[in-house]
Amino acid sequence: YVWQINYPNLAVKVAGAKSGLAVSMPTYMPAGWRLSGDISASPGLVQYNLKSGEGNQSIAITQARSDWDSQALAENYLGKKTQQYLALQAQGLTIYVYGGNSATWVNHGSWYKLEGKGPDINQDQIIKIATSL
């Protein structure tokens, strides 16, 4: 039981050491969601998944080192991925929402991507998770 409670915090610390990034878990997660599986880390990159306790819904979270600003992100990543996206301002961040349940943004030298999989993940949840990282 103690291991299950402390695992996410320990895994984040190990991932931060391996990647050289300031890694954190979101402080907001929809009710019933949890870290699913291991956190994958390599120099400059961290990836992990959040999973719903019900069904097959998940959110893949990626954090990578980047020197892009919001404009460069829009041009170099979003422009190649999709033409349909929404730029939202939240807590000083420009968060680009696309595909209905995915988002990307840059903050303090890190590029974040959240990719939701499942019918019940909505834009509001994505934004709350994004701003809590």
Side-chain angles (χ1 to χ4, degrees):
Y1 176 76
V2 172
W3 173 251
Q4 287 178 330
I5 297 298
N6 291 317
Y7 171 74
N9 292 331
L10 295 172
V12 165
K13 287 180 183 178
V14 170
K18 284 183 181 179
S19 67
L21 299 170
V23 180
S24 65
M25 292 291 292
T27 55
Y28 167 82
M29 282 193 243
W33 288 66
R34 60 178 168 67
L35 178 66
S36 173
D38 292 327
I39 297 177
S40 170
S42 59
L45 179 71
V46 173
Q47 297 176 306
Y48 58 92
N49 291 297
L50 304 177
K51 187 167 174 89
S52 169
E54 302 173 4
N56 60 355
Q57 300 174 74
S58 66
I59 299 172
I61 300 177
T62 303
Q63 179 182 351
R65 185 173 292 117
S66 177
D67 59 358
W68 286 348
D69 61 9
S70 294
Q71 183 64 34
L73 176 62
E75 292 171 4
N76 296 316
Y77 178 71
L78 281 172
K80 294 175 182 175
K81 187 165 187 72
T82 181
Q83 296 300 312
Q84 302 293 322
Y85 62 87
L86 180 63
L88 302 172
Q89 296 292 319
Q91 296 183 8
L93 301 173
T94 301
I95 302 170
Y96 297 102
V97 179
Y98 59 96
N101 58 3
S102 296
T104 188
W105 70 98
V106 290
N107 188 21
H108 299 295
S110 286
W111 170 23
Y112 296 86
K113 289 189 292 183
L114 272 66
E115 296 174 312
K117 297 173 182 77
D120 295 329
I121 301 167
N122 62 47
Q123 179 178 316
D124 185 51
Q125 290 171 316
I126 294 289
I127 296 301
K128 285 180 181 179
I129 293 169
T131 57
S132 76
L133 280 167

mmCIF file of all heavy atoms in Angstrom, residues 68 71-80:
data_model
loop_
_atom_site.group_PDB
_atom_site.id
_atom_site.type_symbol
_atom_site.label_atom_id
_atom_site.label_comp_id
_atom_site.label_asym_id
_atom_site.label_seq_id
_atom_site.Cartn_x
_atom_site.Cartn_y
_atom_site.Cartn_z
ATOM 1 N N TRP A 68 11.760 26.516 -28.388
ATOM 2 C CA TRP A 68 10.668 27.176 -29.101
ATOM 3 C C TRP A 68 9.889 28.086 -28.178
ATOM 4 O O TRP A 68 9.764 27.833 -26.983
ATOM 5 C CB TRP A 68 9.694 26.153 -29.671
ATOM 6 C CG TRP A 68 10.173 25.397 -30.869
ATOM 7 C CD1 TRP A 68 11.268 25.662 -31.632
ATOM 8 C CD2 TRP A 68 9.558 24.251 -31.438
ATOM 9 N NE1 TRP A 68 11.369 24.739 -32.638
ATOM 10 C CE2 TRP A 68 10.329 23.859 -32.546
ATOM 11 C CE3 TRP A 68 8.434 23.508 -31.123
ATOM 12 C CZ2 TRP A 68 10.013 22.779 -33.343
ATOM 13 C CZ3 TRP A 68 8.110 22.428 -31.915
ATOM 14 C CH2 TRP A 68 8.891 22.065 -33.019
ATOM 15 N N GLN A 71 4.914 30.919 -30.800
ATOM 16 C CA GLN A 71 4.815 31.137 -32.245
ATOM 17 C C GLN A 71 5.563 30.046 -33.020
ATOM 18 O O GLN A 71 5.068 29.498 -33.989
ATOM 19 C CB GLN A 71 5.367 32.522 -32.617
ATOM 20 C CG GLN A 71 5.231 32.860 -34.079
ATOM 21 C CD GLN A 71 3.786 32.963 -34.530
ATOM 22 O OE1 GLN A 71 2.920 33.402 -33.774
ATOM 23 N NE2 GLN A 71 3.505 32.555 -35.750
ATOM 24 N N ALA A 72 6.768 29.708 -32.572
ATOM 25 C CA ALA A 72 7.544 28.658 -33.234
ATOM 26 C C ALA A 72 6.839 27.314 -33.119
ATOM 27 O O ALA A 72 6.849 26.520 -34.067
ATOM 28 C CB ALA A 72 8.947 28.573 -32.631
ATOM 29 N N LEU A 73 6.205 27.043 -31.990
ATOM 30 C CA LEU A 73 5.438 25.810 -31.823
ATOM 31 C C LEU A 73 4.301 25.741 -32.829
ATOM 32 O O LEU A 73 4.087 24.707 -33.473
ATOM 33 C CB LEU A 73 4.899 25.710 -30.397
ATOM 34 C CG LEU A 73 3.998 24.519 -30.077
ATOM 35 C CD1 LEU A 73 4.744 23.200 -30.254
ATOM 36 C CD2 LEU A 73 3.463 24.636 -28.653
ATOM 37 N N ALA A 74 3.581 26.842 -32.982
ATOM 38 C CA ALA A 74 2.475 26.877 -33.946
ATOM 39 C C ALA A 74 2.977 26.645 -35.369
ATOM 40 O O ALA A 74 2.360 25.907 -36.145
ATOM 41 C CB ALA A 74 1.733 28.202 -33.848
ATOM 42 N N GLU A 75 4.088 27.245 -35.723
ATOM 43 C CA GLU A 75 4.616 27.121 -37.079
ATOM 44 C C GLU A 75 5.253 25.755 -37.339
ATOM 45 O O GLU A 75 5.018 25.142 -38.373
ATOM 46 C CB GLU A 75 5.651 28.218 -37.341
ATOM 47 C CG GLU A 75 5.067 29.606 -37.389
ATOM 48 C CD GLU A 75 6.128 30.690 -37.428
ATOM 49 O OE1 GLU A 75 7.345 30.370 -37.503
ATOM 50 O OE2 GLU A 75 5.740 31.874 -37.383
ATOM 51 N N ASN A 76 6.071 25.285 -36.406
ATOM 52 C CA ASN A 76 6.871 24.081 -36.644
ATOM 53 C C ASN A 76 6.168 22.774 -36.316
ATOM 54 O O ASN A 76 6.529 21.734 -36.858
ATOM 55 C CB ASN A 76 8.172 24.151 -35.847
ATOM 56 C CG ASN A 76 9.052 25.282 -36.299
ATOM 57 O OD1 ASN A 76 9.227 25.504 -37.483
ATOM 58 N ND2 ASN A 76 9.590 26.027 -35.360
ATOM 59 N N TYR A 77 5.202 22.795 -35.420
ATOM 60 C CA TYR A 77 4.526 21.560 -35.050
ATOM 61 C C TYR A 77 3.062 21.559 -35.492
ATOM 62 O O TYR A 77 2.658 20.718 -36.281
ATOM 63 C CB TYR A 77 4.617 21.335 -33.534
ATOM 64 C CG TYR A 77 3.883 20.095 -33.084
ATOM 65 C CD1 TYR A 77 4.370 18.828 -33.378
ATOM 66 C CD2 TYR A 77 2.687 20.183 -32.384
ATOM 67 C CE1 TYR A 77 3.690 17.689 -32.981
ATOM 68 C CE2 TYR A 77 2.002 19.046 -31.983
ATOM 69 C CZ TYR A 77 2.502 17.807 -32.284
ATOM 70 O OH TYR A 77 1.829 16.686 -31.902
ATOM 71 N N LEU A 78 2.307 22.523 -35.016
ATOM 72 C CA LEU A 78 0.871 22.519 -35.330
ATOM 73 C C LEU A 78 0.592 22.714 -36.806
ATOM 74 O O LEU A 78 -0.290 22.063 -37.362
ATOM 75 C CB LEU A 78 0.151 23.601 -34.526
ATOM 76 C CG LEU A 78 -0.130 23.250 -33.091
ATOM 77 C CD1 LEU A 78 -0.668 24.450 -32.348
ATOM 78 C CD2 LEU A 78 -1.094 22.097 -32.993
ATOM 79 N N GLY A 79 1.329 23.618 -37.432
ATOM 80 C CA GLY A 79 1.119 23.877 -38.859
ATOM 81 C C GLY A 79 1.316 22.642 -39.717
ATOM 82 O O GLY A 79 0.673 22.481 -40.757
ATOM 83 N N LYS A 80 2.174 21.732 -39.270
ATOM 84 C CA LYS A 80 2.420 20.495 -40.009
ATOM 85 C C LYS A 80 1.431 19.397 -39.620
ATOM 86 O O LYS A 80 1.180 18.486 -40.395
ATOM 87 C CB LYS A 80 3.847 20.011 -39.762
ATOM 88 C CG LYS A 80 4.874 20.961 -40.323
ATOM 89 C CD LYS A 80 6.276 20.532 -39.981
ATOM 90 C CE LYS A 80 7.267 21.557 -40.526
ATOM 91 N NZ LYS A 80 8.628 21.261 -40.126
#
